[in-house]
Amino acid sequence: MLLDFGMVAAGLVLLFLGGEGLVRGSVAIATRLGISKLVVGMVIVGFGTSAPELVVSLQAALAGSPDIALGNVIGSNIANILLILGIAALLTPLANEDGGIKREALVMLLAAAALVLALWYGELNRLIGFALLAGLAVHLTLAFLKERRSRADIAEGAAYEHEADEVSDVPLKLPLAILATLAGLGLLVVGAELMVEGSTAIARDFGVSEAVIGLTIVAVGTSLPELATAIVAAIRRHSDVVLANIVGSNIFNVLAILGITATIAPIGVSERFLLIDGPIMLVVTLLAFVILLRARTVSRLIGGGFLASYCGYILFLASMG
């Protein structure tokens, strides 16, 4: 039992360090090679902070634990909004004046709705995986075309640029950046394996379903890179960084993480995800979209409401076992 908890704790640490290394290294490589900041933000940073979710979901699916694979993504999206955005808004009210964030929030909502619809099929198969990846490709292509037309940083690109600056204030030299990226990937793989094995064992020992473990421990653990970035950005009053980090991560979680995982190893859908957790994720995403669309500031009151809601959600999961 202690060994299982030790594996989970070690997995959390390695996931955090791996995500940090991957993001810092990737951004430094892009900066040194003169790659577009939009590419850095939307692809490297956005995908980098979601890399733990990818590795964990893929490992879980291949290990025959589909509930952890799916629960990880759904739980991460819920945690990103209610927990991470809630904590960040409590630290400092978040100005919401970036039109690009509002557009990205719409994409986040559409991705969540598409996932909930896909859950009704009973399995996220390879065809659905390809469809999710196609949606991601369309989203990125449209963003790049808009960048080319404007010849300037579009709003969401600027937000992500700030995020890139946050995670890599002083770019590493190219050899160190490559080493950091490779080391980060390695730590993510090892951390994910420890997380999946430890959490699965704990679930069996306590009689708790793998779905609940995936929705809580694993989901929060893989969201640590987003949490760390959001806290630092909030303290430094970079509201656009916080919002772009959360919205971008949720888009990648659905379109990229589940898209890649389902393409490699189809994911069976438990009834609870179809009837409970999927709809909850959609409602939470819709609430975030409405707030980002209409509110000029994500206030401490909103942040407190989000955090209280997440606590209620955790208690609800605990009551269900």
Side-chain angles (χ1 to χ4, degrees):
M1 179 67 69
L2 288 177
L3 178 60
D4 296 332
F5 278 104
M7 291 174 67
V8 171
L12 286 171
V13 173
L14 292 180
L15 284 171
F16 178 79
L17 294 177
E20 181 73 4
L22 177 61
V23 173
R24 284 184 177 273
S26 299
V27 172
I29 290 173
T31 302
R32 293 294 182 183
L33 297 180
I35 300 174
S36 167
K37 289 296 185 181
L38 181 62
V39 176
V40 174
M42 295 194 65
V43 179
I44 300 178
V45 176
F47 189 82
T49 55
S50 293
E53 284 91 339
L54 170 60
V55 180
V56 166
S57 289
L58 188 54
Q59 290 265 12
L62 292 173
S65 299
D67 283 353
I68 289 182
L70 186 55
N72 173 42
V73 169
I74 292 178
S76 290
N77 278 22
I78 294 173
N80 282 347
I81 294 172
L82 297 183
L83 176 63
I84 297 177
L85 183 57
I87 290 175
L90 278 176
L91 289 174
T92 183
L94 304 172
N96 177 36
E97 300 173 347
D98 192 330
I101 294 297
K102 300 182 193 312
R103 290 191 294 272
E104 291 293 297
L106 175 60
V107 177
M108 176 181 70
L109 177 60
L110 293 175
L115 174 58
V116 171
L117 288 176
L119 295 178
W120 282 91
Y121 188 76
E123 180 187 58
L124 300 183
N125 57 26
R126 289 184 173 86
L127 180 60
I128 292 175
F130 281 123
L132 293 174
L133 290 176
L136 177 65
V138 170
H139 172 55
L140 293 178
T141 299
L142 291 176
F144 292 150
L145 290 176
K146 185 176 180 64
E147 166 74 0
R148 289 186 62 183
R149 287 196 305 267
S150 64
R151 296 295 182 182
D153 285 332
I154 55 174
E156 60 263 41
Y160 281 117
E161 178 180 348
H162 288 309
E163 181 179 353
D165 292 339
E166 285 298 320
V167 297
S168 186
D169 293 326
V170 180
L172 300 171
K173 293 183 178 179
L174 189 58
L176 289 178
I178 295 174
L179 180 61
T181 302
L182 294 177
L185 286 170
L187 291 175
L188 285 174
V189 172
V190 176
E193 186 171 352
L194 291 175
M195 173 74 76
V196 172
E197 290 185 7
S199 59
T200 301
I202 291 173
R204 294 196 184 104
D205 291 339
F206 281 93
V208 178
S209 69
E210 290 186 355
V212 172
I213 295 295
L215 288 162
T216 53
I217 297 175
V218 178
V220 174
T222 55
S223 292
L224 284 176
E226 288 90 343
L227 178 60
T229 301
I231 290 176
V232 172
I235 292 174
R236 297 183 182 181
R237 298 186 181 277
H238 291 304
S239 300
D240 52 353
V241 177
V242 179
L243 299 178
N245 180 37
I246 291 168
V247 172
S249 177
N250 278 18
I251 292 172
F252 272 99
N253 282 348
V254 174
L255 299 183
I257 307 312
L258 286 181
I260 293 172
T261 302
T263 299
I264 296 175
I267 305 170
V269 178
S270 299
E271 186 175 294
R272 64 161 299 141
F273 290 118
L274 177 64
L275 300 178
I276 301 174
D277 301 297
I280 288 176
M281 178 199 67
L282 182 58
V283 170
V284 169
T285 305
L286 177 61
L287 177 61
F289 169 72
V290 172
I291 290 175
L292 292 176
L293 184 66
R294 301 186 65 87
R296 298 187 63 180
T297 303
V298 182
S299 64
R300 286 193 172 92
L301 179 61
I302 294 175
F306 276 170
L307 196 55
S309 298
Y310 190 71
C311 292
Y313 175 63
I314 295 300
L315 291 175
F316 170 70
L317 291 179
S319 68
M320 292 187 61

